[in-house]
Amino acid sequence: MADDELIDRIRAVHRAFPSGVAIVTTSLDDEPLGLAVNAFSSVSLEPPLVLVCVKTTAQTHDHLYANDHLGVNFLAHDQGGIAMRFAQSGGDKFADLAWTPGIAGTPLITGAAGHFETTVEQRLRAGTHTIFIARVVDAGAGDRPPLLYHAGGFWDGAKLVAA
């Protein structure tokens, strides 16, 4: 196991790398479930594959693991409150939240900057996490700027400056 000093340095590097804010969703007996993740990546376009990593101790992990359909919702710049809600453990994260079911019933958050609906193809254990590799079966992007996560806080993707 890495020592505490190395872990602190690793966290500092992660904080230096901005990312979008993704909420991974599924449903169980028509009940919507989800959590915030920062480990998302495109894998390939042909076939259309993406991956998300979820800590095995997360309350939603076992439901995601048991389900073949996942949604990946990329929050818009004004949805920081939703990000905070889904970053917390427990509670009804969908209470008073506008969402619609996708083609397989996967919850899609209304007003998100974009989303993927997926079918899980592989589940791989990696340390403390499960890597879900999923085939994209539907996608939607709006014209809303993204919410970004960087240096431990949320940032408005609409205010980016071209390099």
Side-chain angles (χ1 to χ4, degrees):
M1 174 163 234
D3 64 29
D4 290 343
E5 183 181 329
L6 177 58
I7 290 172
D8 289 343
R9 292 195 319 262
I10 291 169
R11 285 184 175 143
V13 172
H14 284 296
R15 283 190 301 271
F17 185 74
S19 67
V21 179
I23 306 298
V24 175
T25 59
T26 194
S27 62
L28 176 66
D29 299 327
D30 295 325
E31 177 187 354
L33 301 164
L35 76 164
V37 302
N38 65 352
F40 164 85
S41 182
S42 173
V43 175
S44 70
L45 288 175
E46 294 183 27
L49 299 174
V50 297
L51 70 77
V52 295
C53 301
V54 177
K55 193 169 186 176
T56 58
T57 57
Q59 282 189 329
T60 308
H61 174 273
D62 291 348
H63 302 298
L64 294 170
Y65 198 92
N67 204 318
D68 290 332
H69 303 283
L70 303 179
V72 183
N73 299 266
F74 299 101
L75 296 183
H77 67 105
D78 59 352
Q79 294 180 311
I82 294 172
M84 293 300 296
R85 177 190 298 202
F86 279 84
Q88 303 294 322
S89 183
D92 181 1
K93 298 173 186 175
F94 285 87
D96 302 318
L97 178 67
W99 65 276
T100 58
I103 57 178
T106 304
L108 303 176
I109 298 171
T110 302
H115 71 268
F116 290 124
E117 293 182 69
T118 71
T119 301
V120 177
E121 292 203 346
Q122 294 182 50
R123 296 163 181 87
L124 308 168
R125 288 295 298 254
T128 59
H129 285 66
T130 298
I131 302 168
F132 294 89
I133 298 176
R135 180 181 295 264
V136 176
V137 296
D138 196 21
D143 57 359
R144 304 190 72 221
L147 179 66
L148 301 178
Y149 183 78
H150 174 65
F154 297 117
W155 298 82
D156 183 341
K159 297 180 180 170
L160 294 176
V161 177

